[in-house]
Amino acid sequence: MRLLNIKCFFILAFATSFSLLSCNKDVEQYPDIDNIADTSSQAAIAATIASNANFSLYNEVIKKSEYADTLNNKNFELAMFVPGNAAVKTAVSILTAGAVPANAPDATVIGFIQSNNFPKELANSLVKYNTIYIDADLNSLPQTSINRAFPNMLNPAPNVSPFARLSLFLSKSPGLGYVNNVPVSGAKITTGNGSIYPVGAVVMPPRRLLIDRINTDPELTYFKAAIVRADSGLTQTQLMSPTQSATGLLGSFGPNLTVFVPTDAVMRATLTGLITLKLMAAGVPPMQAQADAAALASTPAVFSNPALRATLTPLNVKGLIYYHILGTTGFSNNFPTTETDFPTLISLQNPSAPQLKIKASFTGPMVSALTVKGFINTAAANVIVNPLPDPAGSSDQLYANGTLFKIDQVLLPQNF
């Protein structure tokens, strides 16, 4: 069997700058875990998992991670999100590109987990990412906020800061809880040092930053060029700053964002229409204006074309980009089933600025449709729903600084 290089799948590609700036609210604070008394005679988390037949495959992951002692330490108070055997088989099938099929016998999956093709580093990251520092009660979460961010045990940049942590995003809808975009699939299991929540899929840690997906996705070259135009004229120091540049914002660990990114096809069509109107306003005949506009907008170089500098200014383009970004990390299941206003990075600074109207439609526990409407748009844009893992997916794409959704319209806050 030819297996993927899974160690490469795990590697986190972080930008050289490190910022603790967060556009989201603060993550949930957790107690000093070294000072929690052992008052329970119940089995601890790892021991409880080991005794549950439905968790036998994930128990192999814990053993490979060599993190069981920490999970069994009753001086710690933790919550862990644990996939059942079927979910582990699905994840292994994805990680191996089908070389280990989802219907493989348990022994085959265990053999893979125990092999060198499943690195200890990956097992360790999975276990740490799915463990948070507080015994969180999903039932007590408010349904009024989009989600709540809890720090987990995975440090994505230990060479930069020993205190850096990724977050898990917990939310609750009527009768159902979620961790990131994965539904909780069973009742809470109480242990001697916290809680276990069964989940319907393996919750994978992010391995890149938002800017990495945007810079490498062949369908997002116009949005990439727009970022370059928005940041034109800035110094190298300013480009590294998440408070001064779009590049820094999307390329720094620290911010929590949700980015709705129009694909190249819709960016090209929108720019063609906008340029046509500008040329017609300048006296160019409609047919000629449309032809000229189509030529100008035919490549991402439209953003650096000298003929359009007065319209596609860095300020205008930056405003357009930031209108596509929420200042909190959200997943499709976090959005309401009635169209609701959500502030963008622009309206967070200027409350009178137009917001985005977002609506989710569910089929069972998962979102089947998600729409986003800008202030000027006559109809809502559709999220291209496909929650496959990065880089194949187009919705619920999780990165170290937020989530990304591809959409089929450009969101317009105003006329250009």
Side-chain angles (χ1 to χ4, degrees):
M1 294 186 298
R2 182 178 179 273
L3 300 178
L4 292 179
N5 185 340
I6 296 175
K7 190 169 185 177
C8 290
F9 178 89
F10 165 66
I11 293 173
L12 297 170
F14 289 101
T16 55
S17 64
F18 178 84
S19 170
L20 291 179
L21 167 78
S22 176
C23 297
N24 197 4
K25 62 185 178 182
D26 292 338
V27 295
E28 186 76 10
Q29 297 301 304
Y30 51 88
D32 182 351
I33 58 177
D34 291 323
N35 294 321
I36 297 175
D38 176 6
T39 60
S40 174
S41 59
Q42 287 182 289
I45 285 178
T48 302
I49 292 170
S51 67
N52 188 319
N54 188 46
F55 296 147
S56 60
L57 297 182
Y58 200 75
N59 183 53
E60 294 296 326
V61 176
I62 292 174
K63 290 194 292 185
K64 185 69 172 278
S65 75
E66 298 182 359
Y67 211 61
D69 287 346
T70 300
L71 297 175
N72 278 332
N73 189 333
K74 291 189 178 181
N75 287 322
F76 294 0
E77 186 177 55
L78 309 168
M80 190 173 188
F81 300 88
V82 182
N85 289 345
V88 174
K89 287 184 177 184
T90 299
V92 168
S93 179
I94 293 172
L95 288 172
T96 62
V100 178
N103 61 353
D106 288 4
T108 301
V109 178
I110 290 172
F112 168 75
I113 294 171
Q114 292 176 344
S115 74
N116 291 333
N117 290 308
F118 188 81
K120 171 189 169 183
E121 293 86 354
L122 175 57
N124 189 270
S125 72
L126 286 172
V127 171
K128 288 182 176 179
Y129 184 72
N130 282 276
T131 307
I132 62 176
Y133 285 98
I134 188 170
D135 187 9
D137 184 1
L138 278 174
N139 291 326
S140 68
L141 290 178
Q143 292 181 206
T144 54
S145 60
I146 188 169
N147 58 45
R148 295 191 74 173
F150 290 82
N152 59 49
M153 288 188 159
L154 182 57
N155 184 339
N159 294 332
V160 178
S161 170
F163 305 108
R165 293 291 185 273
L166 291 176
S167 292
L168 283 178
F169 299 91
L170 308 186
S171 61
K172 185 181 70 173
S173 63
L176 194 62
Y178 295 89
V179 51
N180 293 358
N181 64 322
V182 174
V184 173
S185 58
K188 178 175 73 171
I189 300 170
T190 301
T191 77
N193 61 340
S195 300
I196 295 169
Y197 287 93
V199 290
V202 176
V203 185
M204 300 293 292
R207 65 187 182 94
R208 298 198 290 170
L209 292 154
L210 286 161
I211 196 69
D212 299 319
R213 174 64 185 269
I214 293 167
N215 283 345
T216 57
D217 193 316
E219 286 191 327
L220 304 181
T221 60
Y222 277 75
F223 201 78
K224 175 184 175 181
I227 292 170
V228 173
R229 176 57 175 162
D231 290 343
S232 59
L234 299 181
T235 66
Q236 189 62 36
T237 299
Q238 290 170 327
L239 285 173
M240 300 284 283
S241 169
T243 61
Q244 295 180 284
S245 75
T247 302
L249 178 72
L250 297 168
S252 294
F253 172 65
N256 283 325
L257 309 168
T258 301
V259 186
F260 298 101
V261 186
T263 61
D264 283 353
V266 298
M267 287 282 280
R268 188 183 304 114
T270 299
L271 288 167
T272 298
L274 293 173
I275 296 169
T276 298
L277 294 176
K278 288 289 184 181
L279 292 175
M280 289 172 59
V284 179
M287 294 293 290
Q288 184 62 47
Q290 186 173 21
D292 291 348
L296 287 168
S298 62
T299 73
V302 61
F303 287 101
S304 57
N305 192 308
L308 299 170
R309 284 178 180 166
T311 299
L312 298 176
T313 67
L315 184 61
N316 283 344
V317 175
K318 187 174 184 179
L320 183 65
I321 292 169
Y322 280 27
Y323 190 61
H324 287 76
I325 302 176
L326 307 182
T328 184
T329 295
F331 297 86
S332 56
N333 52 57
N334 297 150
F335 294 107
T337 56
T338 56
E339 194 172 70
T340 303
D341 287 340
F342 283 85
T344 69
L345 292 187
I346 296 174
S347 50
L348 285 174
Q349 297 296 320
N350 178 10
S352 64
Q355 302 188 354
L356 295 177
K357 295 182 180 296
I358 305 178
K359 176 185 176 181
S361 299
F362 286 78
T363 300
M366 304 306 294
V367 168
S368 54
L370 185 66
T371 60
V372 189
K373 187 174 185 297
F375 184 69
I376 295 297
N377 299 82
T378 56
N382 298 293
V383 167
I384 303 169
V385 176
N386 173 16
L388 287 175
D390 172 49
S394 56
S395 61
D396 289 302
Q397 300 298 289
L398 176 63
Y399 299 92
N401 55 346
T403 50
L404 181 144
F405 298 81
K406 290 185 180 181
I407 54 176
D408 65 359
Q409 283 190 60
V410 177
L411 305 175
L412 298 173
Q414 61 187 28
N415 290 313
F416 271 77

